[in-house]
Amino acid sequence: MRAQPKASHFIDGEYVEDTDGTVIESIYPATGEVIARLHAATPAIVERAIASAKRAQPEWAAMSPTARGRILKRAADIMRERNRELSELETLDTGKPIQETIVADPTSGADSFEFFGGVAAAGLNGSYIPLGGDFAYTKRVPLGVCVGIGAWNYPQQIACWKGAPALVAGNAMVFKPSENTPLGALKIAEVLIEAGLPKGLYNVIQGDRETGPLLINHPDVAKVSLTGSVPTGRKVAASAAGNLKHVTMELGGKSPLIVFDDADIDSAIGGAMLGNFYSTGQVCSNGTRVFVNRKIKSEFLKRLKTRTEAMRIGDPMDEATQIGPMVSWAQREKVLAYIEKGKAEGATLVAGGGIPNNVSGEGYYIQPTVFADVTDDMTIAREEIFGPVMCVLDFDDEAEVIARANATEFGLSGGVFTADLTRGHRVVDQLEAGTLWINTYNLCPVEIPFGGSKQSGFGRENSLAALEHYSELKTVYVGMGPVQAPY
Ligand code: NAD
């Protein structure tokens, strides 16, 4: 199987190679096969990408938002036309089942281009401030060259979620995908050029943790938007703060999903499974601490076990497959170690717990796993695992579960299943997180803001709120009479 791109980087409207960069092997997680060899960006490539973005940005910013938006909407159409091809590439890049990528990856990227393309004309307006004769007005101005750094779980979506608002606000972007998933973002750059985006405005360069700092510390970069783990977020935010750059941090989580005894139990189980096993559990907002009221615990676990054990694990290119491999060997090792810790610390294994035996030995597969009787102090209840491992914890009353749900450094998301409307709102109101769901889980359409609080980050992606993070206000005071100077 081959997925070799024309070259490693996409700069100034074309593919560019520099073989002096360290080799990055793109591995298909289902088989362990090397499907492409790319090179990390050298300092010369970083310079070239930023210089091209800097050159292109002023003319782009001078266009009307409507004209910029039109190009993004064209890109959305192209992505939808190529959904199958892009989804297959996403599956090769990540190992996620085609059943998912075909509905969730290029399509959500296209939604982002369509939404920001559509709101461009109205979303970037300023205001008029009457001052009794004098007046002032504000305008939203772009930041300049923005850097996007991506994680490996949603490579195409992340490339679009950062690119669309940045571009429509009049910025240029240099995007660095995760070294684990280098392929998808290059295609997004190609699509944008085909849609009519002037060259230089969306450049993609490859690299790892050595390359990121070259981008962040570059004097011509105005903003950094990172999707990644909390430790990386701390480093990136600290470097950006040194030069007072704008930052958006989309980081990790250990989110609570609370199931009250009056909840529709099958919906709650469906929400918990989607919120733990979709993308083989590699979703930042997953509700990995499932608090279940003790009164419904045994019924909940019984049905959850049956449904979990019926999930189809296997070849991600088979449309019937529901669980693919983990993204990498290292990630599977990490998750397996957490599973062993769960067993050792006394949690009850309800389903899964190891490597499935129906799949290729070379793939990075892992069984969807459920632990019950998990307590707040266990490692699996405190640390982000980023794999298909659900922890079920018992609770008895509302105040207790809210306090326990909030007892974490993370604050990305959370959810509540209950038939009691007022309780649903009351509980989410007290949960310390950026994105919350009532009677559903993990739905993130482009219309709603997404992002975290506490150690899960700051800034918001999607919705009109994202435009505020890719622009700044300029205020103009207009004097209408003579200046009254006292001297
Ligand atoms: P990671 O933090 O290891 O890497 C993320 C990106 O940062 C990669 O592109 C990597 O090359 C780069 N990087 C690493 N060190 C860097 C440094 N010092 N300076 C600059 N760049 C650096 O994360 P990952 O393993 O790729 O992704 C999984 C993590 O991402 C999980 O914690 C998950 O929760 C989080 N995530 C968050 C969201 C969100 O929207 N909140 C979405 C997806 C994933």
Side-chain angles (χ1 to χ4, degrees):
M1 209 174 295
R2 303 287 296 154
Q4 186 68 43
K6 290 185 192 138
S8 300
H9 319 291
F10 194 96
I11 300 173
D12 216 28
E14 57 190 39
Y15 277 98
V16 174
E17 193 54 272
D18 180 349
T19 52
D20 285 348
T22 324
V23 171
I24 294 177
E25 288 188 332
S26 167
I27 295 174
Y28 182 39
T31 59
E33 253 178 291
V34 175
I35 53 170
R37 276 196 178 79
L38 300 93
H39 294 271
T42 55
I45 287 287
V46 171
E47 276 305 324
R48 199 162 151 183
I50 292 175
S52 138
K54 189 180 174 192
R55 210 166 40 241
Q57 190 265 333
E59 203 175 320
W60 174 245
M63 283 167 65
S64 76
T66 307
R68 291 197 296 262
R70 198 175 301 135
I71 293 171
L72 263 66
K73 285 193 275 183
R74 232 179 271 142
D77 291 342
I78 297 172
M79 287 189 70
R80 292 216 172 86
E81 282 157 23
R82 304 229 181 110
N83 187 33
R84 163 66 58 177
E85 172 200 333
L86 291 169
S87 300
E88 284 175 2
L89 184 69
E90 186 80 345
T91 290
L92 289 174
D93 228 359
T94 60
K96 295 195 294 180
I98 191 82
Q99 185 188 90
E100 286 186 18
T101 54
I102 204 106
V103 296
D105 292 89
T107 48
S108 64
D111 286 352
S112 176
F113 284 142
E114 186 175 14
F115 175 84
F116 286 105
V119 299
L124 292 161
N125 292 342
S127 60
Y128 171 86
I129 303 155
L131 297 168
D134 288 359
F135 65 93
Y137 60 91
T138 63
K139 52 193 284 188
R140 272 215 166 265
V141 295
L143 303 175
V145 177
C146 301
V147 160
I149 300 180
W152 39 256
N153 57 344
Y154 282 85
Q156 291 182 34
Q157 182 188 82
I158 293 171
C160 297
W161 279 17
K162 298 194 189 304
L167 289 171
V168 97
N171 303 285
M173 172 153 277
V174 178
F175 185 81
K176 188 201 82 63
S178 162
E179 58 275 32
N180 284 317
T181 52
L183 305 175
L186 292 167
K187 285 286 166 193
I188 304 299
E190 267 187 45
V191 165
L192 281 164
I193 286 289
E194 200 179 321
L197 186 74
K199 58 189 191 176
L201 291 167
Y202 189 87
N203 299 326
V204 173
I205 65 164
Q206 306 297 337
D208 55 15
R209 61 192 58 228
E210 307 292 320
T211 320
L214 299 178
L215 290 166
I216 299 158
N217 296 325
H218 197 288
D220 289 336
V221 168
K223 153 144 197 154
V224 181
S225 175
L226 169 80
T227 297
S229 62
V230 172
T232 303
R234 288 200 184 105
K235 285 184 207 141
V236 170
S239 311
N243 290 303
L244 296 178
K245 292 182 180 177
H246 297 252
V247 281
T248 294
M249 289 287 145
E250 292 292 351
L251 309 177
K254 191 76 197 174
S255 301
L257 193 167
I258 304 172
V259 184
F260 285 96
D261 55 343
D262 60 355
D264 173 335
I265 200 160
D266 286 320
S267 280
I269 291 168
M273 290 178 75
L274 283 167
N276 277 276
F277 301 145
Y278 206 69
S279 297
T280 318
Q282 303 162 116
V283 181
C284 51
S285 50
N286 272 353
T288 47
R289 290 182 296 145
V290 182
F291 291 92
V292 177
N293 188 284
R294 210 182 298 272
K295 289 184 204 148
I296 56 165
K297 173 184 174 183
S298 72
E299 189 57 29
F300 186 93
L301 289 176
K302 193 175 100 198
R303 294 192 213 174
L304 173 63
K305 177 179 168 66
T306 308
R307 286 172 66 174
T308 301
E309 287 175 347
M311 289 183 81
R312 295 184 62 153
I313 309 176
D315 175 5
M317 286 297 180
D318 178 346
E319 301 221 348
T321 294
Q322 296 168 321
I323 287 263
M326 307 293 306
V327 76
S328 65
W329 180 84
Q331 187 63 16
R332 182 174 72 172
E333 289 302 297
K334 188 179 148 195
V335 176
L336 285 171
Y338 274 114
I339 291 175
E340 289 315 309
K341 245 190 186 135
K343 292 174 189 167
E345 290 181 9
T348 307
L349 188 64
V350 174
I355 296 172
N357 50 22
N358 68 323
V359 288
S360 141
E362 303 306 316
Y364 313 133
Y365 289 92
I366 203 162
Q367 287 174 314
T369 296
V370 177
F371 279 112
D373 304 314
V374 177
T375 53
D376 298 348
D377 56 333
M378 288 182 187
T379 310
I380 55 171
R382 286 185 289 106
E383 296 181 11
E384 185 185 43
I385 299 174
F386 223 58
V389 182
M390 186 194 305
C391 294
V392 178
L393 303 92
D394 311 333
F395 78 93
D396 295 299
D397 80 66
E398 187 180 310
E400 166 219 333
V401 77
I402 292 168
R404 290 170 59 202
N406 286 337
T408 168
E409 61 169 348
F410 299 108
L412 189 54
S413 17
V416 176
F417 277 85
T418 178
D420 179 340
L421 193 63
T422 52
R423 173 157 65 188
H425 290 285
R426 189 170 63 232
V427 172
V428 291
D429 203 42
Q430 294 172 80
L431 291 179
E432 297 163 355
T435 311
L436 292 142
W437 292 275
I438 300 177
N439 290 338
T440 186
Y441 203 81
N442 257 359
L443 298 178
C444 291
V446 65
E447 293 88 345
I448 68 171
F450 178 76
S453 62
K454 294 162 81 176
Q455 296 294 296
S456 294
F458 37 79
R460 290 293 176 266
E461 296 201 299
N462 293 339
S463 79
L464 289 177
L467 293 177
E468 289 170 22
H469 298 288
Y470 283 102
S471 59
E472 60 190 356
L473 278 183
K474 183 178 263 190
T475 306
V476 181
Y477 185 112
V478 182
M480 297 296 284
V483 173
Q484 305 289 341
Y487 37 78

